[in-house]
Amino acid sequence: MSRLNEIELQLDPLREQLKLHPLYATLSNMDDVAVFMENHVFAVWDFMSLLKSLQNHLTCVNVPWTPKGKGSTARFINEIVMAEESDVNELGVPMSHYEMYIDAMDQVHADTSHIGLFINAIENGDSIERAAKRIDLQAPILEFIQFTMEVVNSNKPHCIASAFTFGREDVIPDMFLEIVNQSQTQDNDQSYGKLLYYLKRHIELDGDEHGPISLKMVAELCGKDDAKWEEVLETAKEALKLRLKLWDHITDTILKLKTLEVV
């Protein structure tokens, strides 16, 4: 059994919890989906920090340019960067997946003010914590982002690749498919066309292209180093546990709002 297969086997229980999470069953209407997006958008945003960190480590982004000497991993990450940072939307307009997500939020009337204020604060020099405090960001979301930044700041490409691959890319097709299935109960409603395009695009890219590429990247970064493989596993487990905590938080938020509607 390969080292990748061993890791996937050990992650199966956490992945199964994600796939069967009660969150998906709470998404019964577009108001629920809007609440999901208002919370999940922070994960969409901080995913890009993992991606750009990998690009910094695996390619040369400095001027004057110097060769990194790892053409295959550079190609892996550049292919993913191209798709994530400059894909085309449903109208053929080039934009990042984050920007597509914001457009989809606007279409379903989800509130984008919090993520907008958060990013503006960071652009103006605030720390993650300071920016989070400005918008009273909920603890499970902040904890999720802080873990991402800890992994990025570790300067360990194999750990960053682990969080990217097993905590994000590798699990996205499963969990997004569940959300698409719930959304299809309103197939005649075109008010979420941008969201479905975004979700189906992720399923297409992550399941068919980015997932396999990311696994190869992890294997190349670890090689035969047992210590690196162990760190990859621990990082992946923590990333999935925090994803589950985020899903728990979003589920609780939606259910509380449903209770208030009944009252």
Side-chain angles (χ1 to χ4, degrees):
M1 181 182 296
S2 73
R3 298 300 292 264
L4 283 173
N5 287 339
E6 289 177 9
I7 286 178
E8 298 239 44
L9 186 62
Q10 294 195 55
L11 295 179
D12 272 350
L14 289 170
R15 287 168 55 83
E16 192 66 11
Q17 287 182 57
L18 272 173
K19 189 174 182 179
L20 301 176
H21 198 282
L23 168 63
Y24 312 119
T26 69
L27 300 174
S28 58
N29 56 56
M30 290 313 297
D31 288 339
D32 299 334
V33 172
V35 174
F36 167 83
M37 297 179 79
E38 289 164 6
N39 288 272
H40 176 244
V41 66
F42 290 90
V44 176
W45 167 77
D46 90 335
F47 167 82
M48 291 302 297
S49 291
L50 287 172
L51 177 59
K52 300 304 285 185
S53 178
L54 282 172
Q55 188 178 34
N56 288 339
H57 281 286
L58 303 179
T59 73
C60 181
V61 295
N62 299 320
V63 177
W65 177 88
T66 56
K68 283 283 188 176
K70 292 185 176 180
S72 58
T73 50
R75 183 179 180 85
F76 294 159
I77 203 64
N78 282 335
E79 286 181 1
I80 296 173
V81 168
M82 181 177 177
E84 295 288 344
E85 198 168 29
S86 55
D87 201 1
V88 292
N89 69 3
E90 76 284 1
L91 301 175
V93 178
M95 63 175 59
S96 69
H97 284 187
Y98 169 79
E99 291 166 314
M100 287 186 202
Y101 200 86
I102 293 295
D103 279 355
M105 289 181 70
D106 288 336
Q107 188 180 49
V108 302
H109 306 296
D111 185 1
T112 61
S113 63
H114 282 180
I115 185 65
L117 290 170
F118 179 80
I119 289 179
N120 285 340
I122 290 174
E123 287 176 336
N124 290 326
D126 277 359
S127 66
I128 295 289
E129 290 72 21
R130 176 75 173 170
K133 189 173 183 179
R134 287 184 185 275
I135 62 169
D136 195 23
L137 190 64
Q138 295 296 301
I141 303 174
L142 178 57
E143 188 178 1
F144 188 93
I145 294 172
Q146 286 174 323
F147 173 73
T148 297
M149 294 302 125
E150 286 173 11
V151 173
V152 166
N153 292 331
S154 73
N155 286 319
K156 294 180 176 181
H158 58 285
C159 290
I160 301 169
S162 175
F164 179 90
T165 301
F166 299 109
R168 304 296 185 90
E169 294 291 299
D170 198 39
V171 77
I172 279 174
D174 284 343
M175 68 187 188
F176 274 6
L177 185 58
E178 297 292 342
I179 297 169
V180 170
N181 287 339
Q182 292 296 326
S183 299
Q184 285 175 339
T185 62
Q186 300 183 25
D187 247 350
N188 293 326
D189 185 353
Q190 295 303 309
S191 67
Y192 60 94
K194 288 181 180 291
L195 174 59
L196 280 182
Y197 176 86
Y198 172 89
L199 296 179
K200 289 176 180 178
R201 185 66 177 143
H202 256 284
I203 290 168
E204 176 186 349
L205 286 174
D206 297 337
D208 297 337
E209 299 177 29
H210 293 179
I213 288 174
S214 299
L215 290 170
K216 290 179 181 178
M217 178 173 59
V218 170
E220 184 157 325
L221 288 171
C222 289
K224 297 181 179 180
D225 191 322
D226 290 340
K228 287 183 177 180
W229 280 110
E230 187 60 35
E231 287 183 325
V232 160
L233 177 60
E234 292 308 311
T235 300
K237 284 182 177 179
E238 187 62 21
L240 290 175
K241 288 176 183 176
L242 287 169
R243 172 72 67 172
L244 283 166
K245 285 185 69 174
L246 178 61
W247 262 210
D248 289 343
H249 166 70
I250 298 176
T251 302
D252 289 344
T253 301
I254 292 172
L255 291 177
K256 285 176 183 176
L257 289 173
K258 286 180 182 292
T259 302
L260 289 175
E261 289 172 2
V262 171
V263 173

